[in-house]
């Protein structure tokens, strides 16, 4: 009976810990998001503040929930915040066209401080005659997002519970992969740009350890680096941020070859399977041809 009381008390205390964390974070999110109902994202500071309210605070909340379960140490707030900001900024970059075409009123999250260097109005980026400036603006936005990547790596490297780790790691790898695909890619202003299903499946299936995270971040950062145009206004800064990410991954001593291929939508089929399918097709062709 005493053991039952102790277990019951522990569950009640854990429940209170969950409730307190959720209540605090949702209250702060609501107050912050209300501020931006009638306020445009003008400066980079505004941009960071908006992303903090809608995603950084989610990072705070998750860290507090992990801590409440007793599975993790409480992560520093700046690392939790970066986990949210990297995901949110990646989504904002990828979803430019959907947001700008939103009916009845467009959603504008790209900060004026960045886009005004390239065009007079944010919607001008979607027009073909502005393609060169649009890509430069896009690269500026991706470069801004990359500043959070090292914090994310530090946060994930400290996680102890495998379920918590995979829950955090898979979206972060998707984010660095999406940044690599979107970078210097005018298609962001023409339609949907995202990681292909086969590559997404590989990330989900193969992300099991921090070694997998370092390897994925290194490879996707290398892909992004290969797309940097020296004539881009932010080329030097982009290179510095990519180099910093790669250095962090390399210094871990845990890199391994993943061979991610953003152009493939499915796993590569084994040669034997391809031969069998070809033979079946030939046999069916002969049968139905008679």
């Amino acid at each position: 009976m005493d053991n039952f009381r102790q277990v019951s008390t522990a569950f009640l205390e854990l429940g209170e810990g969950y409730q307190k964390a959720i209540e605090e974070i949702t209250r702060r999110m609501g107050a912050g998001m209300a501020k931006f109902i009638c306020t445009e994202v003008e400066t980079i500071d505004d941009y960071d503040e908006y992303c903090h309210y809608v995603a950084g605070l989610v990072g705070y909340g998750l860290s507090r929930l992990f801590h409440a379960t007793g599975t993790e140490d409480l992560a520093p707030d700046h690392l939790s915040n970066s986990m949210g900001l990297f995901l949110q900024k990646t989504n904002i970059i990828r979803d430019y066209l959907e947001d700008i075409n939103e009916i009845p009123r467009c959603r504008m999250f790209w900060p004026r401080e960045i886009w005004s260097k390239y065009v007079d109005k944010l919607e001008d980026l979607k027009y073909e005659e502005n393609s060169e400036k649009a890509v430069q603006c896009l690269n500026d936005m991706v470069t801004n997002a990359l500043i959070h990547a090292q914090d994310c790596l530090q946060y994930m490297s400290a996680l102890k519970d495998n379920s918590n780790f995979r829950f955090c790691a898979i979206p972060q790898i998707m984010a660095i992969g999406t940044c690599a695909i979107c970078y210097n890619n005018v298609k962001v202003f023409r339609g949907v740009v995202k990681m292909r299903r086969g590559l997404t499946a590989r990330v989900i299936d193969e992300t099991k350890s921090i070694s997998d995270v370092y390897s994925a971040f290194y490879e996707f950062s290398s892909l992004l680096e290969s797309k940097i145009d020296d004539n881009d206004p932010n080329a030097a800064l982009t290179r510095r941020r990519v180099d910093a990410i790669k250095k962090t991954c390399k210094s871990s001593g845990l890199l391994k070859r993943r061979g991610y291929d953003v152009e493939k939508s499915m796993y590569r089929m084994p040669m034997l399977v391809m031969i069998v399918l070809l033979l079946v097709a030939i046999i069916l062709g002969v049968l139905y041809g008679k």
Side-chain angles (χ1 to χ4, degrees):
M1 184 61 71
D2 287 341
N3 288 340
F4 176 77
R5 289 197 186 96
Q6 290 174 2
V7 172
S8 299
T9 301
F11 272 109
L12 285 172
E13 289 176 352
L14 184 60
E16 290 173 1
Y18 285 143
Q19 292 171 17
K20 184 177 180 181
I22 294 170
E23 180 182 357
E24 177 195 359
I25 297 307
T26 52
R27 176 180 54 79
R28 292 170 66 180
M29 286 180 69
M33 292 172 71
K35 173 181 176 179
F36 281 92
I37 290 176
C38 300
T39 302
E40 297 287 350
V41 179
E42 297 284 344
T43 66
I44 293 174
D45 285 343
D46 290 340
Y47 183 44
D48 286 341
E49 184 180 6
Y50 171 77
C51 291
H52 167 71
Y53 289 136
V54 300
L57 284 172
V58 175
Y60 281 28
L62 285 174
S63 294
R64 283 156 175 71
L65 291 177
F66 291 160
H67 182 62
T69 65
T71 57
E72 308 290 352
D73 297 328
L74 184 59
D77 281 348
H78 75 280
L79 298 183
S80 301
N81 191 54
S82 283
M83 288 285 284
L85 262 62
F86 190 45
L87 297 181
Q88 184 65 21
K89 288 185 176 183
T90 300
N91 289 341
I92 286 173
I93 292 166
R94 180 198 63 197
D95 294 340
Y96 165 83
L97 194 62
E98 177 184 337
D99 290 338
I100 208 70
N101 288 335
E102 180 74 11
I103 297 174
R105 184 173 180 268
C106 66
R107 293 178 290 183
M108 301 175 68
F109 301 118
W110 290 32
R112 183 184 297 272
E113 184 177 343
I114 289 179
W115 62 257
S116 63
K117 292 186 288 184
Y118 306 96
V119 287
D120 294 328
K121 295 183 291 184
L122 182 57
E123 56 265 34
D124 290 345
L125 294 173
K126 68 181 181 180
Y127 300 125
E128 192 168 348
E129 61 267 26
N130 298 321
S131 292
E132 182 178 355
K133 291 295 184 181
V135 169
Q136 291 175 353
C137 183
L138 169 65
N139 294 345
D140 203 338
M141 290 287 290
V142 172
T143 301
N144 173 273
L146 293 177
I147 200 170
H148 305 291
Q150 288 172 277
D151 279 352
C152 294
L153 290 170
Q154 185 177 344
Y155 181 101
M156 290 183 284
S157 68
L159 293 173
K160 303 171 184 177
D161 181 85
N162 187 254
S163 296
N164 296 342
F165 170 78
R166 281 176 52 81
F167 180 82
C168 293
I170 291 170
Q172 295 295 335
I173 292 176
M174 297 289 291
I176 189 68
T178 301
C179 282
I181 294 168
C182 288
Y183 184 84
N184 214 38
N185 188 352
V186 73
K187 291 180 182 178
V188 170
F189 305 100
R190 306 288 181 263
V192 179
V193 174
K194 58 183 179 180
M195 289 174 62
R196 296 178 183 272
R197 292 179 182 177
L199 182 54
T200 300
R202 279 198 62 193
V203 168
I204 294 170
D205 182 57
E206 298 179 6
T207 303
K208 296 180 173 65
S209 68
I210 190 62
S211 174
D212 298 320
V213 172
Y214 284 130
S215 301
F217 266 67
Y218 187 90
E219 290 203 10
F220 283 127
S221 295
S222 297
L223 170 63
L224 194 156
E225 183 180 34
S226 71
K227 298 167 68 177
I228 297 175
D229 183 346
D230 288 334
N231 294 319
D232 186 89
N234 293 283
L237 179 58
T238 308
R239 287 188 192 280
R240 286 199 297 273
R241 291 191 176 163
V242 168
D243 285 345
I245 296 168
K246 292 176 67 177
K247 184 177 179 179
T248 297
C249 296
K250 204 168 184 178
S251 65
S252 72
L254 298 172
L255 289 182
K256 54 187 178 183
R257 176 69 179 171
R258 309 304 296 179
Y260 290 125
D261 188 343
V262 299
E263 298 302 324
K264 301 296 181 183
S265 60
M266 299 180 63
Y267 289 104
R268 291 185 177 88
M269 284 190 288
M271 184 61 67
L272 180 60
V273 174
M274 294 180 67
I275 293 172
V276 169
L277 290 176
L278 180 60
L279 289 173
V280 170
I282 292 172
I283 292 169
L284 289 175
V286 172
L287 291 174
Y288 283 102
K290 291 182 177 179

